[in-house]
């Protein structure tokens, strides 16, 4: 059986692609007991550095990270952590577009979505590091209403310090580090990533059913 392949992409740098890739991999590996591979396509090698540090600290990630996908057939789920780029390349059938809800991200994100509409990939926007200010909350409400009108879910991820803490510790939010990161520390973050994974799962099932 072929693995389910997922691309995480946005033309804008700093849009939390690596953070989403690592934590989504944790969702599938820990919560659903799937064998997961993160393919680090970014020249900055953020996912690879996290995996290397985790291994050196003796609490490895619950999934594999590689710079290539030559062994992808050995996995249930393959997640591609794409670099910021100005064009779509080698996209998976399913795509997540993490974005920050600010003026700097607006243009590149719209261009990413526009180009995705020209492909056969199913995609979902994931607002990340969402602040509680009025402008971002109004925009999130608008996105949620539009998604609901289309019969879709609109998960989002708040700006929580625990995401940076877990990255600094080289773990995903589904892991704990004795004396430094507990389940209670990551409870809200795990619920948010659960919502992203669940919405993605719904999208994947709908696509696979339509192909039968």
């Amino acid at each position: 059986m072929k693995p389910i392949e997922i691309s995480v992409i946005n033309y804008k740098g700093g849009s939390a692609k690596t953070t989403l890739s690592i934590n989504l991999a944790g969702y599938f590996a820990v919560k659903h007991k799937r064998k997961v591979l993160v393919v680090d396509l970014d020249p900055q090698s953020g996912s690879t550095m996290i995996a290397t540090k985790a291994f050196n600290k003796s609490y490895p990630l619950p999934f594999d990270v590689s710079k290539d996908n030559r062994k992808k057939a050995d996995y249930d789920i393959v997640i591609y952590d794409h670099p910021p780029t100005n064009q779509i390349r080698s996209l998976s059938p399913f795509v997540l577009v993490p974005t920050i809800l600010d003026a700097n991200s607006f243009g590149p994100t719209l261009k990413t979505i526009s180009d995705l509409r020209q492909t056969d990939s199913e995609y979902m926007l994931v607002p990340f590091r969402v602040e509680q200010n009025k402008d971002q909350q109004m925009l999130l409400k608008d996105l949620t209403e539009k998604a609901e009108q289309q019969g879709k879910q609109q998960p989002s991820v708040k700006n929580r310090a625990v995401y940076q803490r877990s990255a600094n510790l080289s773990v995903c939010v589904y892991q704990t580090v004795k004396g430094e990161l507990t389940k209670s520390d990551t409870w809200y973050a795990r619920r948010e990533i659960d919502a992203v994974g669940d919405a993605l799962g719904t999208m994947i099932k709908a696509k696979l059913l339509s192909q039968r």
Side-chain angles (χ1 to χ4, degrees), residues 3-196:
I4 293 173
E5 297 181 82
I6 303 156
S7 286
V8 181
I9 188 170
N10 191 322
Y11 293 165
K12 175 72 170 60
S15 58
K17 293 183 292 293
T18 295
T19 301
L20 180 56
S21 297
I22 290 294
N23 287 294
L24 185 65
Y27 162 86
F28 284 116
V30 176
K31 186 169 183 179
H32 292 282
K33 310 302 180 186
R34 301 297 185 187
K35 190 174 182 183
V36 184
L37 172 67
V38 173
V39 180
D40 188 356
L41 300 177
D42 194 333
Q44 294 184 5
S45 302
S47 296
T48 303
M49 286 190 289
I50 290 173
T52 300
K53 289 179 181 178
F55 180 80
N56 290 339
K57 291 179 180 180
S58 300
Y59 42 78
L61 295 167
F63 50 86
D64 293 334
V65 177
S66 175
K67 295 296 288 184
D68 65 65
N69 68 349
R70 285 177 291 181
K71 294 184 178 181
K72 68 180 183 179
D74 296 337
Y75 295 86
D76 303 310
I77 307 286
V78 179
I79 298 172
Y80 295 90
D81 181 8
H82 286 258
T85 179
N86 60 1
Q87 59 182 308
I88 298 293
R89 288 197 185 103
S90 304
L91 275 186
S92 304
F94 305 101
V95 181
L96 294 181
V97 184
T99 184
I100 311 302
L101 298 180
D102 61 19
N104 291 330
S105 300
F106 188 73
T109 300
L110 281 182
K111 181 65 166 62
T112 306
I113 295 295
S114 177
D115 287 356
L116 281 170
R117 287 174 177 160
Q118 310 306 314
T119 73
D120 293 328
S121 298
E122 296 289 329
Y123 64 88
M124 181 171 66
L125 188 68
V126 184
F128 222 95
R129 300 184 191 135
V130 178
E131 302 281 0
Q132 290 295 93
N133 65 63
K134 183 178 179 181
D135 289 343
Q136 291 202 14
Q137 289 301 310
M138 287 181 63
L139 183 52
L140 180 59
K141 180 181 179 183
D142 183 53
L143 290 171
T144 301
E145 289 175 350
K146 288 180 179 178
E148 290 175 348
Q149 290 169 5
Q150 298 173 10
K152 298 180 180 180
Q153 301 173 58
Q154 181 55 75
S156 62
V157 179
K158 291 184 179 180
N159 188 12
R160 300 185 188 279
V162 70
Y163 291 108
Q164 187 59 54
R165 282 182 61 198
S166 61
N168 290 342
L169 291 167
S170 302
V171 297
C172 66
V173 297
Y174 293 88
Q175 295 173 269
T176 59
V177 178
K178 188 175 181 179
E180 297 189 75
L181 195 68
T182 67
K183 284 187 177 180
S184 61
D185 293 331
T186 60
W187 194 90
Y188 288 106
R190 282 182 275 123
R191 298 290 77 75
E192 289 175 338
I193 302 300
D194 283 355
V196 175

